[in-house]
Amino acid sequence: MLAKSFASLKANTVQKDKTHLWIYVDDDDLIMQHAIENKTIPDPGLPVHWHIAPRTAGLGQIHQALWNASGRASEVYMFASDKSDFATPGWDDVIRAKSAEHPDGVMLAFAHDPNAADQGTYPILGWNWVKTLGYFFPGYFPFWFDDLWMDQIGRMAGRFVKLPIVIAPVGGARGRTQRMRNVPFWTRFFQLMLPEREDAARKLIAAMNWSDEAARSAALKNMEEIAARLAKEQENFSDVYATFQ
């Protein structure tokens, strides 16, 4: 799947010299390390940085580690996986064009994922977004929820846009999540942490360039309305359900 992902990058990335790929490899994954050493993995045609380190407890911690290792010097950061098919020719220039519309660097864009409708499963973050929050993903969760966490912050902050590009799992279907457990517990945990996401949205709104105070006030009002709606949706979740699950 990684080889197919690389092939899609080679075929559809326009500015390869400006697009860097960082890949986390568990230090006990000897098969992958041998493939790297023996150069048996196809060349995607753009710079690849292999980051070999111990297995993390959660998926979000992987992307945080890669952001740190990259030097935090890029204009835009995005999430992908080892089975991401970059199906749209010139996908990288589409992202650059949208980034140029937000010179303050506060942006959450996302690609279309055929398996996830309008949720930002492949988040694309502006430089000032990650600088302001201090993280790529929050790092609380073993699997899942990280993308939904960022999705809700983006909606509340008002910088949430779906791009006309497609990134889908290689082969078209999602694989089975191997390490996710106790979904009811993590669902309730996610819900109870809504105030932290609200605070993150406020920080991002404060970091944006505003033409006047009225525009900033309108953004804060919109954020509060969305937060209230999210809180209302969570009221139907039952702690009894979580207990019996």
Side-chain angles (χ1 to χ4, degrees), residues 184-236:
F185 167 82
W186 288 112
T187 299
R188 190 57 172 153
F189 177 86
F190 177 88
Q191 292 175 343
L192 293 173
M193 295 294 281
L194 177 58
E196 183 170 320
R197 296 192 291 283
E198 292 179 53
D199 183 59
R202 290 190 187 92
K203 290 179 180 178
L204 291 169
I205 290 173
M208 297 175 190
N209 294 333
W210 295 104
S211 57
D212 54 50
E213 181 61 25
R216 189 184 73 85
S217 297
L220 287 170
K221 184 176 183 295
N222 182 65
M223 185 223 75
E224 291 169 357
E225 291 174 352
I226 295 175
R229 185 165 66 247
L230 291 172
K232 184 68 175 178
E233 292 172 357
Q234 294 175 179
E235 290 179 2
N236 294 326

Side-chain angles (χ1 to χ4, degrees), residues 30-102:
L30 300 182
I31 294 176
M32 190 67 202
Q33 292 177 50
H34 289 159
I36 296 169
E37 293 169 2
N38 297 328
K39 302 185 185 303
T40 58
I41 302 170
D43 179 10
L46 50 87
V48 180
H49 309 268
W50 301 101
H51 185 77
I52 301 173
R55 181 190 296 264
T56 65
L59 184 62
Q61 295 168 358
I62 288 176
H63 297 285
Q64 186 74 9
L66 292 178
W67 178 49
N68 292 335
S70 73
R72 304 185 177 188
S74 295
E75 181 180 352
V76 176
Y77 302 88
M78 72 175 296
F79 162 88
S81 73
D82 55 4
K83 54 182 180 294
S84 297
D85 180 8
F86 292 77
T88 304
W91 64 273
D92 54 319
D93 272 351
V94 174
I95 293 174
R96 290 187 182 92
K98 180 55 63 176
S99 175
E101 296 178 14
H102 303 293

Side-chain angles (χ1 to χ4, degrees), residues 127-196:
W127 63 271
N128 202 18
W129 176 294
V130 284
K131 178 183 177 182
T132 298
L133 298 188
Y135 59 76
F136 192 100
F137 282 151
Y140 292 132
F141 308 99
F143 271 83
W144 301 345
F145 294 107
D146 281 309
D147 53 354
L148 183 58
W149 181 281
M150 306 305 283
D151 179 295
Q152 290 191 358
I153 293 174
R155 292 177 191 271
M156 287 189 285
R159 288 283 179 87
F160 183 75
V161 57
K162 185 174 184 178
L163 300 179
I165 59 177
V166 176
I167 300 178
V170 169
R174 287 186 179 278
R176 183 174 180 177
T177 302
Q178 300 294 324
R179 292 165 60 190
M180 187 62 187
R181 301 290 185 272
N182 304 320
V183 176
F185 167 82
W186 288 112
T187 299
R188 190 57 172 153
F189 177 86
F190 177 88
Q191 292 175 343
L192 293 173
M193 295 294 281
L194 177 58
E196 183 170 320

